[in-house]
Amino acid sequence: RQRGWYVAALETEGAVWMDTYTDFYGKLCLTCARKFKGPDGEVRGVLSTDITVQDMLDEIVATKLGNSGYAFVLDEKLEYLAHPDYYKVGFDRNIAGHIEDTDNILTHIKDTESGVIHAKLDGTDSYIAFSTLEETDWKLCICIDVEEIIAPSLATKAEIDGITADAQQMVSSTLSEVMIRFIIFFAMAGIIVIILSFTV
């Protein structure tokens, strides 16, 4: 009952999504928790489930745009959750170590729901399109070199918007399916609690 997900669920109405972590097998996981109540309306406990998101993130990272474009995902602290070089030795998981003029750019990304910024990422003049995933506050980003995006710029921007929308829809759909399962588990737990209450 001292675990972060337990305490957070008690303080939240509805489901709460916790920070990602790496499990025993090295898989990136996300915890979703929700409190449940007995027939008297009193909180009886917390139901929690761990979701493996690594496969989903790997699929996003596999997205290729043009010759130089790639996708990456940032958590709410603006640290990489997924990147093509994520598993390389010495990779800095904090985006601040990869981008110039970090204060202004990172503040803009963190405080804005979606947009396109011009930045020097890993020494390359790039455009970064980003969008916030509502369920987790993660930032889904698509990066492409400025030189490639200029010609033809309008067509390339349309591709970025399309890929970002498709990827966000895939993530939202996956999390929605998980939420439905979670609601079913919660309903079953509630029924069991009610049956046990009447039995007692």
Side-chain angles (χ1 to χ4, degrees), residues 16-174:
V16 59
W17 297 90
M18 305 300 293
D19 292 341
T20 55
Y21 70 95
T22 304
D23 69 6
F24 180 77
Y25 301 100
K27 292 285 188 180
L28 194 63
C29 292
L30 184 65
T31 298
C32 182
R34 181 170 183 163
K35 63 187 174 188
F36 62 90
K37 301 177 181 179
D40 57 359
E42 292 294 320
V43 175
R44 299 298 186 194
V46 172
L47 185 65
S48 173
T49 181
D50 288 343
I51 306 154
T52 302
V53 295
Q54 190 62 60
D55 293 339
M56 179 177 63
L57 293 176
D58 289 344
E59 187 172 342
I60 291 172
V61 169
T63 301
K64 191 69 179 166
L65 179 63
N67 296 320
S68 63
Y70 62 92
F72 60 90
V73 180
L74 302 172
D75 65 14
E76 65 278 6
K77 298 173 185 174
L78 298 186
E79 293 189 356
Y80 286 111
L81 287 174
H83 186 279
D85 298 330
Y86 189 84
Y87 295 107
K88 287 186 178 179
V89 177
F91 178 75
D92 184 357
R93 296 183 180 178
N94 191 324
I95 193 174
H98 299 262
I99 200 165
E100 294 182 17
D101 191 21
T102 55
D103 291 340
N104 292 333
I105 292 174
L106 296 187
T107 299
H108 179 71
I109 293 175
K110 192 166 189 175
D111 296 340
T112 309
E113 286 295 313
S114 62
V116 179
I117 58 171
H118 181 203
K120 209 159 190 90
L121 185 63
D122 291 321
T124 303
D125 202 21
S126 307
Y127 280 116
I128 303 171
F130 65 93
S131 183
T132 305
L133 305 176
E134 294 180 8
E135 296 83 356
T136 58
D137 284 334
W138 294 349
K139 301 288 183 177
L140 174 64
C141 306
I142 304 287
C143 176
I144 189 168
D145 291 359
V146 169
E147 290 183 3
E148 184 174 352
I149 206 170
I150 287 174
S153 60
L154 293 178
T156 306
K157 183 180 182 301
E159 284 187 51
I160 292 175
D161 291 341
I163 290 174
T164 302
D166 291 343
Q168 183 170 5
Q169 183 178 2
M170 180 192 70
V171 174
S172 297
S173 174
T174 302

